[in-house]
């Protein structure tokens, strides 16, 4: 009996050691196929760029204007002044609104400001609705010229364009509005330049990519 009990104990011990732990449940073939299909058919997330600006034609014929008048009042620190414009309206302007100021702003001084946008004073348009580009000393006549050509020279503060009618046009570019990609190289860029001339110097109102 003792021998029989010993044999039985040995059999039970061997059976206990050979028992394997339950394996982790693997996904069924159906689940695996479904997951792979979902992953394969999922479209990558994309960000759509707005094409409204790219697709909208810019009207260059009525885009550039001059606001002319006399400074009738300035604040003590000179940061704000009142311009009595030639249209009879008074406009309170901040110096910070103007990209480039090439004239001393003080009372009784006549100035002209080249700007981009709809004409100020018409249809309720105010200076803050436009892009005030450069303030210059007043002169008898103003013309905003537009020229298309190829750059011959492009530096930090100035550039030169050979116009399509074979003239060399040198311009300053102090903080003037510039279409992205318009001036990218030292030379050879096709550009359209809107500019005004004051005291023999050409001041860009805007630089755009030329055709």
């Amino acid at each position: 009996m003792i021998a029989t009990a010993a044999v039985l104990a040995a059999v039970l011990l061997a059976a206990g050691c050979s028992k394997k732990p339950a394996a982790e449940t693997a996904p069924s073939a159906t689940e695996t196929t479904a997951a792979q299909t979902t992953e394969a058919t999922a479209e990558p997330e994309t960000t759509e760029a707005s094409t409204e600006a790219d697709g909208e034609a810019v009207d260059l014929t009525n885009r550039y204007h001059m606001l002319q008048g006399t400074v009738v009042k300035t604040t003590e620190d000179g940061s704000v002044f009142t311009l009595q414009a030639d249209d009879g309206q008074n406009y309170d302007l901040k110096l910070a609104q103007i990209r480039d100021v090439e004239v001393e702003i003080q009372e009784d001084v006549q100035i002209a400001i080249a700007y981009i946008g709809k004409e100020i004073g018409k249809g309720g348009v105010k200076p803050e609705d436009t892009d005030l580009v450069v303030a210059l000393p007043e002169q008898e006549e103003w013309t905003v010229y537009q020229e298309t050509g190829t750059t011959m020279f492009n530096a930090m503060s100035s550039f030169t364009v050979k116009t399509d009618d074979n003239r060399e046009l040198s311009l300053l570019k102090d903080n003037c509005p510039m279409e992205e990609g318009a001036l990218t190289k030292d030379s050879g860029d096709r550009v359209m330049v809107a500019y005004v001339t004051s005291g023999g110097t050409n001041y860009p109102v805007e630089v755009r990519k030329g055709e």
Side-chain angles (χ1 to χ4, degrees), residues 149-160:
T150 304
T151 57
M152 302 174 60
F153 172 79
N154 180 25
M156 183 69 68
S157 60
S158 65
F159 64 104
T160 300

Side-chain angles (χ1 to χ4, degrees), residues 37 42 44 48 88 97 101 117 127 132 157-158 163 169 171 176 178 182 209:
T37 302
E48 295 185 4
Q97 289 178 260
V101 178
L132 304 177
S157 60
S158 65
T163 64
L169 180 65
L171 306 105
C176 72
M178 193 172 301
K209 290 184 287 187

Side-chain angles (χ1 to χ4, degrees), residues 6-205:
V7 171
L8 181 60
V11 171
L12 291 176
L13 182 60
C17 292
S18 63
K19 185 177 180 180
K20 296 180 179 179
E24 294 182 4
T25 305
S28 66
T30 303
E31 292 173 340
T32 303
T33 303
Q36 291 173 342
T37 302
T38 301
E39 184 177 354
T41 57
E43 295 182 359
E45 184 178 346
T46 58
T47 302
E48 295 185 4
S50 173
T51 58
E52 183 178 352
D54 296 335
E56 183 179 351
V58 177
D59 180 11
L60 300 179
T61 59
N62 196 37
R63 182 174 173 82
Y64 310 110
H65 306 278
M66 301 296 297
L67 177 63
Q68 304 173 66
T70 303
V71 177
V72 294
K73 185 172 64 174
T74 63
T75 57
E76 187 175 347
D77 62 0
S79 62
V80 180
F81 65 96
T82 301
L83 182 71
Q84 186 177 72
D86 290 351
D87 63 6
Q89 298 294 318
N90 284 3
Y91 300 106
D92 291 328
L93 304 174
K94 297 178 181 178
L95 278 183
Q97 289 178 260
I98 308 172
R99 290 172 173 265
D100 181 22
V101 178
E102 297 287 342
V103 58
E104 187 174 357
I105 303 298
Q106 57 185 8
E107 292 183 13
D108 298 325
V109 171
Q110 292 183 327
I111 67 172
I113 304 173
Y115 66 94
I116 301 173
K118 295 182 179 179
E119 191 169 354
I120 294 172
K122 292 187 176 181
V125 177
K126 301 177 181 178
E128 53 265 33
D129 301 324
T130 68
D131 190 352
L132 304 177
V133 180
V134 55
L136 299 164
E138 181 60 291
Q139 61 190 34
E140 281 190 23
E141 294 183 3
W142 289 99
T143 301
V144 181
Y145 301 98
Q146 294 183 45
E147 297 284 356
T148 302
T150 304
T151 57
M152 302 174 60
F153 172 79
N154 180 25
M156 183 69 68
S157 60
S158 65
F159 64 104
T160 300
V161 175
K162 187 171 186 178
T163 64
D164 288 346
D165 58 1
N166 209 33
R167 291 180 293 112
E168 289 188 15
L169 180 65
S170 297
L171 306 105
L172 296 181
K173 59 175 181 181
D174 291 343
N175 203 29
C176 72
M178 193 172 301
E179 183 181 12
E180 184 177 356
L183 286 176
T184 60
K185 299 179 291 187
D186 292 338
S187 62
D189 282 315
R190 288 286 295 170
V191 294
M192 187 291 296
V193 182
Y195 69 97
V196 292
T197 301
S198 175
T201 302
N202 300 315
Y203 297 90
V205 182

